[in-house]
RNA sequence: GCCACCGUAGCUCAGUCGGCAGAGCGGCUGACUUGUAAUCAGCAGGUCGGGAGUUCAAUUCUCCCCGGUGGCUCCA
């Protein structure tokens, strides 16, 4: 029977079937980098016999090929562990796309980083033995017999293989894996790999299940690619906001007095305040009225809002004069009190309140992280109280706002939109009627789709009070963090909670829907993300010091003072370095501090009443008029330009 | 909270197989008065995260605690 072999998307040949994919490719003269095949679009092993269909070679350099390589590398890891620790019980070990690599969860005694080296050596040894990786097709009973000593694999076989059905296992040397494959042809294909770290995980992610050792590693088709990746990781570590935050003196932590309570220094506070000013402008444009609410309330409020029953473990609570108080973990109940102060007409909806509200959440000790996960956090919070027919328009405006902020103003392109819906099998966990959920979820979906945004649906991740759209952004080392959020809430406005109302044109009362939203998410996490995004080289409007004046020789000092005063008078954040350091040293310091522009003032500038401008990208424009420079700088600041461009030569 | 690793000067890090604690940068002082990515010299700076134990002697070994990092879990 004929097999159509697609050599490239355009080039096809037809060959006779009935032999292995490997044989077919070999006869067509394909190289050794072919490690698997695709039959009618499905990945298979080279050793599979092909009868008919469309067959494509899968190169180790392709996306599929690399995934197979990493999957096989995970097996190699489990194989090595099994040789070194005969009692170890491998569970699952998948490839991971982001960050690129793989892991394997194994039940075994805890290991150290020295052990990791040993395991890696053993992997190399097994790779060099170049075992053939052989596929075995086995009946369910045979598989259960084969893995009878491994309760994890047995559980998987019971679940995944039908009674009376068959599945596959792969054998390399004495090591056998229950796995559907495909895999590289032999262990010798896995050459460029490295084990990265060890942690723990729970079987199937449940805290009460057995604890497993998770070993992370990565693998690439070539040693060069592996090296390149490891270098990239090293480079990324230099952008870590904790490192840059200390170097540029933006914030400090004093864990002995307040673990995960960030303290913002003068320079960091400038960035925070610039971020606030910008968002304040956007909020005002979007119809939000800024409010302010206290940092603590009696727990009577938190009981009414449901926080005492749903969020108590994360709250800072205190008792005073026999009354219990709680630091606010969220701003919404405060905003609800503001909404409740008067009667509302349908004509006045939506009502919108915003607040840069600092909230306090007791996060478990192992989860905090620099500015990215803290216990005191300031949200660019806002609540819109809307009629149900206004949901889509309101959400649409927020999506536009998110896009403007991230794409345009900050140049952050890699956003991950998530639509979190309720778990349809557990409806009782959620508040509100089926109809309302259906309408709200559909509306959110439509808003995303009408804007052509790719999004992931996260079933079961909705808040109990309503579905939501979240936006995640990556940090320097590739972890995703949630920043923006748009949450629909039918719960707090209802009659069992705050019983919020507006009256319609027929004099009927309705509950408004609450939209909880934050664009940055929190100033803290957002600052962490942009520090890494810009690697500390902020756009001019955000830079704590926008211009530094450097003098060459003491004769230039009076003139430098004059220029300094002029820039300061224009509202530019400027400082002055008249130290006796060499000009080289002053430039180096400014560069290390990522100061956008430096003015170099020496004899020439003094005598001609000009300035020489050098930017942090080492571009320079000599002897220009001060006014010209000031004009351009002010323009870059007021337009919140992403790039510094004064020294650009066209 | 769980597991592994880590904690030495403001920062980056060396060091002690148990015997008076080191460097570079930064800071201070002085000299130099400088033209595009580190001028030279001197000085100061440490309860070696905290507590307990073993020891003639602990920064080093043991235990407990605190904190950090990476994961896991959690994340209204």
């Amino acid at each position: 029977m004929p097999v159509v072999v697609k050599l490239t998307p355009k080039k096809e040949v037809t060959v006779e079937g009935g032999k292995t994919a490997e044989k077919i490719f070999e006869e067509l003269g394909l190289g050794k980098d072919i490690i698997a095949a695709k039959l009618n679009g499905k990945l298979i092993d080279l050793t599979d016999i092909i009868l008919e269909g469309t067959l494509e070679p899968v190169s180790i350099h392709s996306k599929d090929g690399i995934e197979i390589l990493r999957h096989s590398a995970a097996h190699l890891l489990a194989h090595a562990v099994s040789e070194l620790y005969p009692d170890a019980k491998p569970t699952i070990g998948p490839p991971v796309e982001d960050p690129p690599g793989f892991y394997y969860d194994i039940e075994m005694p805890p290991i150290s980083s020295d052990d990791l080296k040993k395991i890696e050596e053993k992997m190399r040894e097994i790779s060099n033995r170049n075992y053939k990786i052989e596929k075995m097709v086995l009946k369910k009973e045979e598989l259960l017999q084969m893995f009878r000593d491994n309760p994890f694999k047995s559980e998987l076989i019971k679940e995944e293989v039908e009674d009376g059905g068959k599945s596959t296992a792969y054998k390399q040397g004495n090591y056998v894996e229950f796995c559907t494959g495909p895999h590289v042809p032999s262990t010798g294909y896995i050459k460029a790999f490295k084990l990265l770290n060890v942690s723990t995980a729970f079987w199937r992610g449940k805290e009460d299940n057995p604890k497993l050792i998770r070993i992370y590693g990565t693998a690439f088709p070539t040693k060069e690619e592996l090296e390149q990746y490891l270098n990239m990781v090293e480079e990324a570590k230099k952008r870590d906001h904790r490192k840059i935050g200390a170097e540029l003196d933006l914030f400090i932590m004093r864990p002995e007095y307040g673990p995960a309570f960030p303290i913002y220094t003068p320079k960091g506070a400038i960035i925070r305040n610039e971020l606030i000013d910008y968002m304040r402008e956007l909020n005002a444009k979007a119809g939000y009225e800024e409010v302010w609410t206290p940092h603590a309330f009696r727990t009577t409020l938190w009981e009414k809002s449901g926080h005492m029953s749903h969020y108590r473990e994360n709250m800072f609570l205190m008792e005073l004069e026999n009354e219990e108080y709680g630091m606010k973990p969220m701003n919404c109940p405060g905003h609800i009190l503001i909404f409740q102060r008067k009667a509302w007409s349908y004509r006045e909806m939506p009502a919108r309140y915003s607040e840069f509200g600092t909230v306090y959440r007791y996060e478990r000790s192992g989860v905090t992280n620099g500015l990215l996960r803290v216990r005191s956090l300031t949200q660019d919070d806002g609540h819109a109280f809307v009629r149900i027919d206004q949901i889509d328009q309101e959400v649409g405006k927020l999506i536009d706002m998110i896009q403007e902020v991230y794409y345009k103003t900050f140049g952050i392109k890699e956003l991950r939109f998530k639509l979190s819906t309720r778990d349809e099998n557990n409806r009782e966990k959620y508040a509100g009627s089926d109809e309302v959920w259906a309408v709200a979820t559909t509306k959110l979906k439509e808003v995303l789709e009408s804007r052509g945004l790719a999004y992931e649906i996260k079933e079961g991740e909705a808040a109990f009070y309503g579905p939501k759209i979240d936006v995640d952004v990556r940090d320097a080392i590739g972890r995703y963090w949630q920043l923006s959020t748009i949450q629909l809430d039918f719960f707090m406005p209802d009659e069992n909670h705050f019983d919020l109302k507006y009256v319609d044109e027929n004099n009927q009362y309705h509950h408004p829907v609450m939209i909880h939203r934050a664009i940055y998410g929190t100033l803290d996490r957002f600052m962490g993300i942009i520090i890494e995004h810009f690697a500390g080289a902020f756009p001019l409007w955000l830079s704590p010091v926008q211009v530094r004046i450097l003098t060459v020789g003491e004769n230039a000092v009076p003139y430098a003072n004059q220029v300094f005063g002029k820039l300061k008078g224009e509202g530019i954040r400027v400082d002055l370095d008249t130290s006796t350091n060499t000009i080289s040293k002053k430039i180096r310091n400014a560069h290390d501090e990522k100061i956008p522009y430096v003015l170099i003032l020496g004899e020439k500038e003094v005598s001609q009443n000009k300035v020489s401008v050098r930017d942090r990208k080492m571009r320079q424009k000599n002897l220009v008029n001060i006014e010209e420079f000031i004009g351009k700088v002010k323009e870059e600041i007021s337009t919140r330009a992403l790039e510094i461009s004064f020294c650009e030569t066209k």
Side-chain angles (χ1 to χ4, degrees), chain A residues 458-523:
Chain A
K458 298 274 177 184
E459 192 180 331
E461 289 196 10
F464 75 95
Y465 52 67
K468 56 177 184 167
I469 293 172
D470 291 324
V471 179
D472 289 357
V473 178
R474 311 169 55 129
D475 69 9
I477 59 174
R479 294 176 297 201
Y480 281 94
W481 298 87
Q482 185 191 305
L483 301 180
S484 309
T485 186
I486 304 171
Q487 310 181 352
L488 299 187
D489 178 2
F490 317 114
F491 177 81
M492 289 194 206
D494 77 14
E495 58 280 7
N496 298 316
H497 298 88
F498 289 99
D499 196 20
L500 305 182
K501 287 176 207 158
Y502 66 88
V503 70
D504 73 7
E505 60 270 45
N506 302 313
N507 207 29
Q508 296 289 308
Y509 285 99
H510 298 277
H511 297 305
V513 174
M514 258 180 100
I515 299 176
H516 307 241
R517 46 114 278 182
I519 308 300
Y520 295 143
T522 68
L523 291 169

Side-chain angles (χ1 to χ4, degrees), chain A residues 253-255 258-262 363 368-370 373-377:
Chain A
M253 293 284 189
R254 293 296 300 270
F261 291 92
E363 300 283 359
T368 59
N369 184 293
R373 184 101 179 243
V374 292
R375 288 175 174 151
S376 75
L377 43 139

Side-chain angles (χ1 to χ4, degrees), chain A residues 1 186 322 472 494:
Chain A
M1 270 182 290
S186 70
N322 293 325
D472 289 357
D494 77 14

Side-chain angles (χ1 to χ4, degrees), chain A residues 273-288 290-292 354-356 380 401 517 520 640:
Chain A
N273 287 331
E274 288 291 348
L275 292 173
I276 288 174
D277 288 349
Y278 174 49
M279 190 53 63
R280 192 168 264 149
E281 276 177 33
L282 294 178
N283 280 339
K285 253 190 258 175
Y288 286 83
E290 190 163 335
V291 297
W292 187 91
S354 66
E355 176 174 5
F356 297 95
D380 61 321
M401 204 160 151
R517 46 114 278 182
Y520 295 143
R640 298 196 173 92

Side-chain angles (χ1 to χ4, degrees), chain A residues 48 83 136 176 180 226 241 270 326 353 368 409 440 449-450 462 499 514 567 598 600 604 614 616:
Chain A
D48 288 351
E83 288 198 4
M136 301 180 289
V176 190
T180 52
L226 176 67
H241 73 280
I270 288 172
Y353 300 126
T368 59
T409 305
E449 279 165 11
S450 70
D499 196 20
M514 258 180 100
L567 293 177
V598 298
I600 299 167
K604 276 182 266 177
R614 180 184 164 112
R616 70 178 162 220

Side-chain angles (χ1 to χ4, degrees), chain A residues 36 79 105 125 236 260 289 482 579:
Chain A
H79 186 167
D105 285 349
E125 189 191 317
E289 297 176 284
Q482 185 191 305
S579 65

